[in-house]
Structures are given as structure tokens and as C-alpha cells.
Amino acid sequence: MSKETTIVSQQLSTKEGAFTAEFEWPVTLAIDKGLDGAVTNKSKVGYVDGDKGRLIYQGYPVETLAENANYEEVAYLLIFGKLPNEAEYAEFDSKLKAQRKMPIEVVKIMDIIYDHKHSHPMSLLRTAVSVLGVLQKNVMDTSRENELRMGMHLIASMPTVIAALHRLRLGLKPVEPDITLSHVENFLYMLHGKKPAALDVKLLEISMILHADHGMNASTLTAMATSASLSDLYSSIVGAIGSLKGPLHGGANEVVLQEFLKIKSIAHVTEYVAGKVAKKEKIMGFGHRIYKTYDPRAAVMKKYASKLKEEVEMFKIAEVLDKEVVAKYGSKGIYPNVDFYSGIIYKHLGFETNFFTTIFAAARISGWLARILEYRAENRIFRPRDVYIGEFNKEFVERKKRV
Ligand code: SDX
């Protein structure tokens, strides 16, 4: 592992005494790059079992939820800790439906700033969420009731923003949400302007359920660190979207598909892997800080991606690449992660490649919200520390005399 652990006491003892003379350092501190192994809080929201490859939401295996529940039920489960009964579901669902519409100001701003060549959809989504926060009232009220209200507004309206961006990119008019449709049906309806096929609804449903929460990942930590200063929910989600965008995190799904297109056919997979190994480059869609075995979400995605006749050539490339990378790196705990097979499904659903991570964000919003609300109850500002390795007591030299 490339984890760098530096024991500060050892580092200090190699210096010339200046550190210990100036400050009383806690000499047992260790540097764990990327906060590896750090534990931020206790949570009931979800559990990632990295050794056994299990993912649990509020007690339920994610595979069971993906097969049997819809996204609204899973969002409710993450937030409230139980699956909703009929009455609870009806109330939650109608509140979400009532907030699907995107304010006209957001559409106008997106239309003005959208540079079709250069604007990344994740940057636009981040900006749209920020604008939604500007238009909201009482954002600084951090009561559970108010944060839940605003969070449900984001769960409901992020698909509307994404679908509108997709259509603006194609030069089409955004489609108004349809409140007779479920969350996922409506997402696809707003994307293509027609009622979606049952298989497509199932594909997006399982994908959004599998992406809804995942422990203390980078974007969740970003959301929580922002929120813990008692900042507003929209600011926290803007930060989380920014974190998710990176190719080491949610942005990997986009790069994975680009790599499949470069590989072109199964005949080139071996050569591709050898090239990556020779250049010591990471292979996108593989590896995970917590999973040292197959990511359970990748297994479900693979099962569904394998059924898509139109994507069979791309699936074959993925499957061979999966086998070759696991043969090479499996002993190091490198296996496919959630971002490896998801792109094949998103492509099938008609999303452009650079929109893939926006779907991840639209799903993860319920996990971000659930964890922010849970942490609020025992809120404490995040404040880790670093180790100063610079100098002390440098002499100040006037600018004109500086070299
Ligand atoms: C997500 O945290 C979450 O829960 C995230 C997520 C979620 O749902 O929120 O699951 C979503 O972000 C999935 C990950 C998507 N990213 C990628 O697919 C990018 C490629 N993978 C990596 O760069 C990497 O595996 C990370 C970023 C996912 C994890 O990074 P770590 O834990 O910091 O691991 P590391 O980079 O320190 O690597 C450890 C070792 C190294 O080898 P050594 O130097 O010890 O010999 O594993 C090797 C790495 O070289 N390694 C890889 C590899 N990933 C790690 N080798 C080849 N290909 C890879 N993809």
C-alpha cells in the first residue's frame, strides 16, 4: 500500500532541537495520508464491509433493496432508519413530487452560462444547486425539520436539473416533471420526453439505489465537514458535488467508458493492461480504500449490464478487462468498483458520457442528507491537524533587499 505513515516523534528527533525548543508537540501523532483508518463518528445509516464485500443500508443488504425496493423507499430508509409503511410512503412521495419543478431562474442561468464545448455537467449541476440555495429561504436554520425540508427539495429537483441540462445540450426544451410518475420514471421521462420502458426504469432504479450511500467516502466527508461548521445544506451539497466529480471518486465512471472506447475490442485488452502496468498507471474503475474484494455493487451492475443486447460488445471488453486486472492485481485487493460497469448501463439509458457522474450525485444526495442529519444531533466541527515541517524564527528581510 502507498499509505505513508510518519511518526512525528521520530521526525522530531532527527531535527536540530528547534521544534522541541519552540513548542511542546504531542510526540505520538502519526500522519495517515488521506485520513486512512480515521474514524469520524458512529452511524446507523450504512455499513461497508470491505473484507467480505458487503454493503448494508440501515440493516438491509443492498442487493435485497436493489431487487425489491424503489429509490424513494431507499431514500426514506436512509433518512428515517426504517422502510416506510403505506401512509409514510404516500406522504414522503407526495412531498417529493411537489418539489420536482426547477425554478425558472435556474433554467435561465444554466441556459446563459452553458458553454456546450467546455462546460462539464457536474460543474453546471454544482452551480445549479448553489443557485437553488440562493433562492431558498431560511437556509441557515439548521433545525432537523428545515434541513429535511431542504434535503427533500434537492432529492426531488436534482433529476430535473440534470434532465434539463441534458436537453439544453442537445438544443431541446426542458420537459416539465410529471407527478403521476415515480422518481426514476420521471427522471427518464424528463430526459427523453417520453414514458420510459420498464427495463430502463429497473436499470436506473437499481443503479440509483446502489449509489445512494457508501460510508465516509470523500464526498460525504466533504458534505459533513461543511455542514459541521453549521453552514447551510446547499453549501454542503455544492462541496460534495465538487468532491464527487474527481476521477478518483465518482468521476471514474466517465473515464472508464472512455477507456472502453479506446480499447475498441477484446483483442486489445491484454495490450491495454500491459501498457498500464508498464507505466504504473491506475486502471480506472478498479481498487477501493475499503473493499479488498469484489465491490458488491459492481456485481449487481455487471449482472444487469450483461443483459443489454445493444451493449454486448462493450460488455465483452469490460468482462475481459475485469478478468485480466483481477488476475494481475487481485492478490493486492484490486477488484472492480461501483464505477466499472455503471457506464454501460448509463450509456444504454441514453446519457452522454460526461453526464454519468451527475446520476451518481442525484442518487447519493439521500446518503449525504441522511448522514448530515444524523451527525447534526451530536454536531462537532471537523478539525484534524497537520504536522508543521517548516522552519522557525526566520529573519524578516525588507523587499528591496530580498534575493
Ligand atoms: C468511488 O470511498 C468510497 O466509498 C468511494 C465510492 C463511493 O461509493 O462513494 O465507492 C465511489 O469513488 C469508487 C472509486 C472510483 N475510483 C477509481 O476507480 C479510480 C481508480 N482507483 C484508484 O485510484 C484507487 O483504487 C482509489 C482512489 C479508489 C483508492 O485509493 P487509495 O485507497 O488511496 O489507494 P492507493 O491509491 O493508495 O493504492 C493502493 C495500492 C497502490 O499500490 P502500491 O503502491 O501499494 O504497490 O493499490 C494500487 C496502488 O498502485 N492501486 C491500483 C489501483 N488502485 C489502487 N493499481 C492499479 N489500478 C488501480 N485502479
Side-chain angles (χ1 to χ4, degrees):
M1 294 293 280
S2 65
K3 183 176 128 176
E4 179 198 313
T5 304
T6 309
I7 305 298
V8 178
S9 54
Q10 289 171 359
Q11 192 180 41
L12 286 174
S13 64
T14 63
K15 295 278 171 186
E16 287 135 36
F19 284 169
T20 39
E22 291 288 327
F23 294 102
E24 274 184 39
W25 282 91
V27 290
T28 52
L29 277 182
I31 302 169
D32 287 310
K33 284 198 81 181
L35 298 178
D36 195 353
V39 180
T40 60
N41 61 309
K42 290 189 247 172
S43 176
K44 288 184 179 170
V45 176
Y47 172 52
V48 184
D49 181 344
D51 296 326
K52 297 204 180 99
R54 289 190 309 162
L55 174 59
I56 309 289
Y57 294 169
Q58 300 276 13
Y60 296 91
V62 78
E63 295 88 344
T64 308
L65 294 169
E67 289 298 342
N68 300 294
N70 69 11
Y71 182 76
E72 297 87 313
E73 287 176 290
V74 171
Y76 187 98
L77 171 71
L78 291 169
I79 297 166
F80 297 102
K82 72 185 280 280
L83 284 167
N85 62 28
E86 287 291 1
E88 289 161 342
Y89 181 83
E91 190 189 345
F92 186 67
D93 184 44
S94 73
K95 279 186 182 163
L96 287 177
K97 283 178 171 162
Q99 299 190 80
R100 278 183 185 167
K101 264 193 161 198
M102 177 168 62
I104 190 70
E105 291 89 336
V106 181
V107 188
K108 280 187 186 160
I109 292 172
M110 291 301 113
D111 208 14
I112 292 168
I113 65 172
Y114 207 146
D115 175 337
H116 291 237
K117 241 185 172 170
H118 302 290
S119 308
H120 193 281
M122 279 295 273
S123 302
L124 292 160
L125 178 64
R126 187 194 63 217
T127 307
V129 169
S130 190
V131 175
L132 286 172
V134 171
L135 299 171
Q136 270 285 333
K137 296 192 177 70
N138 301 331
V139 288
M140 291 306 283
D141 172 359
T142 56
S143 64
R144 180 178 167 88
E145 189 192 19
N146 193 46
E147 292 205 311
L148 180 60
R149 178 187 67 82
M150 297 189 296
M152 286 178 64
H153 171 234
L154 283 174
I155 294 174
S157 59
M158 278 170 65
T160 315
V161 173
I162 296 163
L165 290 172
H166 168 92
R167 293 183 69 84
L168 289 174
R169 188 175 184 90
L170 300 176
L172 300 168
K173 266 184 77 178
V175 170
E176 291 279 312
D178 181 341
I179 58 159
T180 66
L181 302 177
S182 76
H183 189 75
V184 162
E185 280 173 330
N186 177 58
F187 193 173
L188 290 169
Y189 167 71
M190 291 186 297
L191 198 74
H192 299 306
K194 57 177 197 247
K195 298 254 167 81
L199 172 65
D200 290 357
V201 175
K202 182 69 186 165
L203 289 170
L204 188 55
E205 199 89 73
I206 60 122
S207 173
M208 289 189 68
I209 291 172
L210 295 173
H211 284 81
D213 184 66
H214 209 248
M216 202 46 56
N217 58 83
S219 55
T220 300
L221 177 67
T222 308
M224 288 177 61
T226 307
S227 159
S229 73
L230 298 187
S231 188
D232 69 281
L233 186 78
Y234 293 87
S235 299
S236 305
I237 303 307
V238 165
I241 293 171
S243 168
L244 188 69
K245 185 177 182 234
L248 292 186
H249 192 12
N253 55 17
E254 182 182 331
V255 189
V256 168
L257 203 100
Q258 288 160 355
E259 298 293 290
F260 290 162
L261 293 173
K262 272 193 228 156
I263 294 171
K264 287 197 179 86
S265 85
I266 54 170
H268 301 124
V269 172
T270 307
E271 182 193 340
Y272 172 82
V273 175
K276 288 280 179 189
V277 173
K279 286 189 249 159
K280 292 193 166 60
E281 283 176 4
K282 301 264 174 71
I283 304 172
M284 289 289 141
F286 289 90
H288 200 276
R289 176 67 63 80
I290 308 297
Y291 291 122
K292 297 303 161 204
T293 182
Y294 221 95
D295 181 332
R297 302 167 297 176
V300 179
M301 292 285 201
K302 180 178 178 182
K303 187 178 100 182
Y304 280 90
S306 74
K307 294 178 185 172
L308 305 175
K309 289 195 187 74
E310 300 85 345
E311 315 303 336
V312 70
E313 289 310 316
M314 191 165 275
F315 180 77
K316 277 190 204 158
I317 295 173
E319 202 178 27
V320 177
L321 184 58
D322 175 344
K323 277 201 188 107
E324 294 214 7
V325 175
V326 171
K328 174 81 197 154
Y329 288 132
S331 57
K332 277 178 80 176
I334 310 287
Y335 287 84
N337 60 50
V338 69
D339 287 326
F340 188 66
Y341 286 101
S342 60
I344 298 178
I345 291 177
Y346 300 152
K347 177 177 174 292
H348 177 81
L349 293 175
F351 287 95
E352 282 189 60
T353 313
N354 62 0
F355 272 80
F356 289 178
T357 317
T358 64
I359 312 165
F360 193 153
R364 185 56 60 86
I365 177 65
S366 50
W368 291 330
L369 174 65
R371 287 174 181 274
I372 284 173
L373 292 174
E374 185 185 55
Y375 190 73
R376 266 283 178 264
E378 293 179 13
N379 190 71
R380 192 166 187 216
I381 195 163
F382 281 80
R383 193 9 178 134
R385 57 200 302 173
D386 58 359
V387 175
Y388 178 69
I389 55 164
E391 298 173 51
F392 289 97
N393 300 328
K394 285 177 106 173
E395 192 187 337
F396 185 84
V397 181
E398 281 176 53
R399 190 162 63 232
K400 59 183 176 210
K401 293 186 187 162
R402 287 176 211 156
V403 286

